[in-house]
Structure formats: C-alpha cells, structure tokens
Amino acid sequence: MTITDDASMNGSTVYRLRPGWRLQWEEAQQRHVLLYPEGMVQLNDSAGAILATLDGQRDVDGVVATLQAQFPDAPPTAIEQDVLEFLLDADRQGWIHHD
C-alpha cells in the first residue's frame, strides 16, 4: 500500500458507507448513484466499483485485491492508487467512514 496523507488509513482499515447513505444502480442513468437524506451523488464507473466493495468487512487491501481480480487487464498499481485516492476523498466528503 502506498503512503497517503491520512495517517489513519492503512491496508487493514475497513470503510463503510455513512449511516443513512445507500449505493444504488440507476437504470435510467446507467450508473451508480449514492443516495443520502438530502440528495444524490452521481458516480463514475470507478467510484461505483469501489463503493460496491465497501461492505463493512473488507479492508482496504481487500478492496484493492477484489478490484484487481475484477479488472485483470488494468495495471495493479493504477487500481491501488485509484482506490486510495478515492477512499481518502470520499472520507473527506463524509460519504464513508471507518472505525
């Protein structure tokens, strides 16, 4: 795992969606959206794939491994970097949290 600017994140950190937030596939928009009490966030494919792996059980290393298995043609380091950057950003925005 690459060093990040969040000292509380490491390979064993387990993230989950904030209470009251829900990931959903929107057929009409052909994309995942993140629903929360005040509205909705439209997600790109990468964000939807990452959030879909956050089950409150899988740690960061597990998220990376799952996505590397789902997308074997993608460079592993690119997946890892995308996951780490997205999780940091989603945490800062309050979409997800960890214990």
Side-chain angles (χ1 to χ4, degrees):
M1 184 169 144
T2 306
I3 301 298
T4 67
D5 62 355
D6 182 353
S8 65
M9 180 197 279
N10 61 54
S12 63
T13 304
V14 176
Y15 284 94
R16 61 183 49 86
L17 291 175
R18 290 263 177 214
W21 292 57
R22 182 169 46 102
L23 180 67
Q24 176 177 301
W25 175 257
E26 279 293 321
E27 190 65 36
Q29 299 174 21
Q30 290 294 298
R31 70 176 61 220
H32 280 99
V33 295
L34 190 55
L35 302 172
Y36 59 102
E38 297 84 25
M40 174 180 75
V41 177
Q42 293 184 7
L43 302 169
N44 64 28
D45 291 341
S46 296
I50 294 167
L51 286 177
T53 66
L54 301 185
D55 58 6
Q57 305 290 321
R58 193 176 286 125
D59 62 17
V60 172
D61 288 342
V63 168
V64 171
T66 297
L67 292 170
Q68 287 172 340
Q70 282 181 329
F71 304 100
D73 295 335
T77 56
I79 289 176
E80 180 181 39
Q81 193 61 37
D82 286 351
V83 168
L84 298 177
E85 288 174 6
F86 176 79
L87 291 176
L88 285 172
D89 189 47
D91 191 24
R92 280 189 210 111
Q93 292 190 57
W95 299 355
I96 61 174
H97 68 104
H98 62 88
D99 298 327

